[in-house]
Amino acid sequence: MTTTFYWQEQPVEAGPHETVLDALLRQGHKIPSGCRSGVCQSCLIKVEGAVPVAAQSGLSDGHIADNLALACQCRAISGLRTGPPGIHAARVLARVTDKRWLAPNIIGLRLAANLRYRPGQYVTLWRDEHTSRSYSIASHPDIQDTLEFHIRVHEQGRFSRWVAEGLKVGDLLPVQGPMGHCIYKGESSRPLLMVAMGTGLAPLFGVLQDALMQGHSGDIHLVVAAMQAREFYLTETLLELAGRYPQLKLHWVVSTTEDLAGCHLPLVRAGVEEYVTNCFPDLNGFGVYLCGAPRRVHALRRGCYIAGAAMIDIAADAFLTCDRGELVGARLAGH
Amino acid sequence: MSVYEKIGGEQAVNAAVDIFYRKVLADDTISHFFDTVDMARQHAKQKAFLTMVFGGPNAYTGKDMREAHKHMNLTDAHFNAVAGHLQSTLEELAVPTEFIEEILGIALSVKDDVLNR
């Protein structure tokens, strides 16, 4: 059974379980798209009339009021009338002000852009009309004027390799957002557990700075996890913060089997889930923040919940650690 | 007055849902059923389930129950495990015995739907 919906008044045939995005792309329409998981919001479209609820999950009130929807999350319902969002206004142009390697495979990118955000939120960066990726903002608006991103460079990454090799200081690129709810929620005396896996450190570094600036007095445990010791970055900054704020406790966890002799950090060799389970058996009353690859975040969320954290107190930001371009077609549940 | 109202309405559900769902997830005999689900969404479903068994306003139907559990190959043991967690949750919250019995009675009434019989 096929259904027919409309794109700019033209009928489009769709399969029974097809999304609007898949149907449009299959029939050669040029629709920008990125993660295809409802995260990056690259595939915004305008829908007339009633919009399927799932297609507006995570959108801002403004977007919802404008009847915008995510084509990748929108089932192709018979008779649905769709069209381009016409909201390039939702993007701002940003200028590259700095670019440097933070670790052998992680670039720190700074952009000057007129954008209001909360530390821990993410934006979508556009290379061109058809290539976009979402990255978390690592900076704090009251500490620096620029937006900072930690970009893991993948060998085959269409976006990240371009950032590493093509993008120069002074270049302009469109930024869309901000999005996401992985932000500091106040309650300054409660203990916090933040688990940053890989470049999951980016949003949590933002949240951490926000918590400290807002005078968070409860213990803040930041678990920084990486596959290998050389992938740790921002270490000096974090050590300096921990020296200044005694409530900040750092935990460095590596899952590698490499020789750790000569490393100046007090590293623990463990799987991150195992480490968190052993170190934090009772999370009752904790605020929990989890950022990293979806599988890890999912497992940790469950572990932390069983250990006593209330569901409402667990903020999770799961993102693809691989370059999204390699994963087009992959779908993720539960970010 | 329903049990739901007598034990404190939505607040009672809120107090129970984390304890209940935590017990379910920590039980190795049934936790694998939840390996791939979105936890936040499932949490909301557990809340709807508790609202129903407490006799509160809900939109649960036998058809939903049947549909949701149809392909899971559930047995009496699975059902009894969940019912046991419900009972111990209520005991932990010091719900009076007579109310617990009424609540477990409602839970039992959906057993055939859940087990697809």
Side-chain angles (χ1 to χ4, degrees):
Chain A
M1 267 287 284
T2 58
T3 56
T4 305
F5 67 98
Y6 297 88
W7 173 255
Q8 295 184 293
E9 307 303 327
Q10 298 299 312
V12 180
E13 297 283 322
H17 300 294
E18 219 169 12
T19 63
V20 167
L21 178 65
D22 287 338
L24 287 171
L25 290 177
R26 188 169 48 71
Q27 287 165 59
H29 293 277
K30 297 252 184 262
I31 309 295
S33 68
C35 71
R36 301 198 182 198
S37 312
V39 177
C40 74
Q41 303 189 0
S42 300
C43 62
L44 278 177
I45 53 169
K46 192 161 182 108
V47 176
E48 277 176 43
V51 185
V53 175
Q56 292 189 314
S57 171
L59 294 188
S60 69
D61 293 345
H63 282 166
I64 290 170
D66 288 342
N67 250 32
L68 297 177
L70 300 168
C72 75
Q73 302 296 305
C74 189
R75 285 272 304 281
I77 298 166
S78 187
L80 200 67
R81 308 189 93 81
T82 64
I87 51 117
H88 288 299
R91 299 183 201 166
V92 295
L93 266 187
R95 189 170 43 82
V96 179
T97 61
D98 190 52
K99 189 180 109 174
R100 66 185 65 193
W101 289 96
L102 301 173
N105 52 359
I106 298 169
I107 281 185
L109 181 70
R110 288 188 176 193
L111 305 178
N114 183 15
L115 191 83
R116 290 171 62 89
Y117 67 96
R118 292 281 310 269
Q121 288 191 295
Y122 63 91
V123 295
T124 294
L125 307 181
W126 292 78
R127 173 184 172 179
D128 53 49
E129 247 338 277
H130 304 289
T131 316
S132 63
R133 300 288 185 271
S134 302
Y135 288 100
S136 290
I137 307 169
S139 46
H140 192 297
D142 296 341
I143 296 175
Q144 65 187 66
D145 292 338
T146 50
L147 305 175
E148 181 166 331
F149 304 93
H150 304 156
I151 296 178
R152 184 179 292 272
V153 179
H154 299 274
E155 243 167 71
Q156 308 290 328
R158 265 195 300 156
F159 190 90
S160 60
R161 286 234 75 90
W162 168 72
V163 171
E165 291 157 10
L167 195 63
K168 297 182 304 293
V169 170
D171 284 354
L172 297 173
L173 74 163
V175 175
Q176 176 188 353
M179 299 160 265
H181 307 285
C182 186
I183 54 178
Y184 178 62
K185 298 185 184 73
E187 298 195 59
S188 62
S189 60
R190 78 182 329 183
L192 301 181
L193 169 64
M194 301 181 179
V195 185
M197 295 162 280
T199 51
L201 182 55
L204 291 187
F205 184 59
V207 176
L208 171 66
Q209 292 182 94
D210 203 25
L212 293 173
M213 277 194 67
Q214 293 194 38
H216 192 91
S217 57
D219 281 347
I220 305 174
H221 292 273
L222 175 63
V223 178
V224 190
M227 304 278 273
Q228 295 175 306
R230 65 188 173 88
E231 290 176 6
F232 285 121
Y233 65 98
L234 277 189
T235 51
E236 295 310 318
T237 310
L238 289 172
L239 290 169
E240 191 265 322
L241 275 179
R244 198 143 38 103
Y245 297 96
Q247 66 272 45
L248 174 59
K249 328 274 185 203
L250 301 174
H251 307 247
W252 308 92
V253 181
V254 275
S255 55
T256 178
T257 52
E258 73 185 313
D259 183 10
L260 299 177
C263 182
H264 69 291
L265 293 168
L267 297 181
V268 177
R269 197 198 305 268
V272 63
E273 291 141 46
E274 170 201 352
Y275 182 82
V276 169
T277 308
N278 290 337
C279 263
F280 303 95
D282 182 5
L283 289 171
N284 189 9
F286 272 69
V288 178
Y289 295 84
L290 309 169
C291 295
R295 214 156 50 90
R296 292 270 98 78
V297 167
H298 185 76
L300 274 166
R301 172 153 34 182
R302 183 173 178 148
C304 290
Y305 180 70
I306 291 174
M311 185 65 73
I312 190 175
D313 292 330
I314 305 177
D317 189 359
F319 47 81
L320 304 172
T321 47
C322 305
D323 191 277
R324 286 163 196 270
E326 295 161 36
L327 280 160
V328 165
R331 268 165 227 287
L332 295 172
H335 20 253
Chain B
M1 202 180 191
S2 66
V3 175
Y4 177 79
E5 287 164 306
K6 287 184 210 155
I7 62 174
E10 197 186 341
Q11 274 190 325
V13 175
N14 288 337
V17 65
D18 271 332
I19 300 174
F20 171 67
Y21 187 31
R22 196 170 284 133
K23 284 179 192 290
V24 168
L25 285 180
D27 181 343
D28 289 340
T29 67
I30 49 175
S31 65
H32 58 280
F33 291 117
F34 300 91
D35 276 350
T36 55
V37 302
D38 178 329
M39 274 190 71
R41 212 172 295 165
Q42 185 60 220
H43 189 261
K45 283 189 183 161
Q46 299 295 352
K47 209 175 144 179
F49 169 70
L50 290 183
T51 305
M52 180 199 67
V53 295
F54 289 3
N58 70 90
Y60 248 92
T61 67
K63 192 163 159 278
D64 295 335
M65 275 287 183
R66 197 168 276 277
E67 206 46 47
H69 298 92
K70 201 158 76 179
H71 302 294
M72 294 170 69
N73 292 322
L74 298 174
T75 65
D76 281 289
H78 298 131
F79 184 89
N80 294 341
V82 172
H85 294 313
L86 176 59
Q87 181 172 357
S88 61
T89 299
L90 298 169
E91 285 166 358
E92 220 167 278
L93 290 167
V95 173
T97 318
E98 70 217 76
F99 296 163
I100 295 184
E101 278 168 17
E102 198 173 329
I103 290 166
L104 289 176
I106 300 179
L108 219 55
S109 73
V110 299
K111 184 170 177 176
D112 284 351
D113 286 321
V114 170
L115 298 183
N116 199 24
R117 285 175 180 157

